[in-house]
Amino acid sequence: SVAWAMQMHMSHAAKGAAKALPDADAGKRADRQMRKRMARIRLNLHWATRRGVPMGVSLDGAKGSESAAFIKALEPDVIYVIDRGIFSFKCLEELHKHGSHYVARLKANIPFAPHQQRSLSAEDAAHGVVSDCTGYFPGSRNHKAPQLLVREIVIVDPARPGNHAIRLITDLLELPAHIIGLLYQQRWQ
């Protein structure tokens, strides 16, 4: 399952009408005024990747967080694939409570304290796995981290321009690292 959220600000027609005004500054002002009056909504979509169908859909106002909307829709015995915009320590705690698993992309600024480095197989290396280790989140003054043993897998996609590394975190401790990467990749398939 994939947690996917997007935010809609205004219709394309409204944007086009603002751009059609003769004065560029007036168009920008009109655009800002329309944004203030228009309602903001977010579509929360939980997608079943194996079946290729939605598991759940909900609409929220722009004030609620993506993470909170995700937590409301959690189900037991599901592997959730979570993008970095939805990731939170609260999500990890709730997933653990629900008996579900996760593969989540981490933002670069979230610290991870490695405990044990895991060896990589030839197949892991062939799929771009750079490192695989277990450890904990140290948290911060403002964000208490759950004390759960998790796994950080760093992958470089050879097909991506610039070969940017991505950090994945999971509670699936027994699966090969390259399978975790393939699970995350399914988010776009």
Side-chain angles (χ1 to χ4, degrees):
S1 300
V2 175
W4 179 9
M6 66 178 172
Q7 198 173 43
M8 298 170 55
H9 296 284
M10 68 170 57
S11 70
H12 291 293
K15 285 184 179 179
K19 290 179 181 173
L21 295 171
D23 179 3
D25 288 335
K28 288 178 185 176
R29 283 192 302 278
D31 186 46
R32 280 193 301 273
Q33 290 170 356
M34 277 192 272
R35 283 180 186 260
K36 287 179 186 176
R37 289 193 305 265
M38 304 220 36
R40 290 184 173 192
I41 61 169
R42 183 181 58 248
L43 171 68
N44 303 302
L45 174 65
H46 287 240
W47 187 259
T49 53
R50 179 182 273 177
R51 292 178 295 175
V53 296
M55 280 179 51
V57 177
S58 66
L59 291 174
D60 282 330
K63 292 188 179 187
S65 75
E66 292 176 19
S67 185
F70 173 72
I71 290 169
K72 280 194 255 182
L74 288 178
E75 295 183 19
D77 301 319
V78 175
I79 298 174
Y80 285 97
V81 179
I82 306 166
D83 206 5
R84 57 190 165 183
I86 295 173
F87 176 85
S88 71
F89 292 147
K90 179 73 173 164
C91 278
L92 297 188
E93 289 173 330
E94 292 298 323
L95 284 159
H96 184 72
K97 286 179 190 174
H98 279 79
S100 286
H101 299 282
Y102 53 88
V103 174
R105 183 168 178 189
L106 285 180
K107 293 179 182 178
N109 65 345
I110 296 176
F112 178 76
H115 175 67
Q116 180 179 5
Q117 189 69 33
R118 298 165 61 119
S119 59
L120 301 178
S121 70
E123 198 164 7
D124 291 338
H127 281 87
V129 177
V130 177
S131 73
D132 180 6
C133 60
T134 56
Y136 300 90
F137 290 108
S140 68
R141 274 187 306 185
N142 300 328
H143 302 287
K144 185 177 181 328
Q147 291 302 301
L148 302 170
L149 180 67
V150 294
R151 186 172 170 197
E152 180 193 53
I153 299 168
V154 178
I155 298 178
V156 175
D157 184 352
R160 286 181 76 182
N163 290 335
H164 298 289
I166 61 169
R167 295 171 59 209
L168 301 177
I169 202 77
T170 185
D171 64 342
L172 298 167
L173 302 177
E174 301 305 319
L175 287 178
H178 71 278
I179 298 296
I180 301 299
L182 290 173
L183 282 170
Y184 187 77
Q185 186 180 21
Q186 285 298 308
R187 187 179 185 282
W188 295 285
Q189 302 300 319

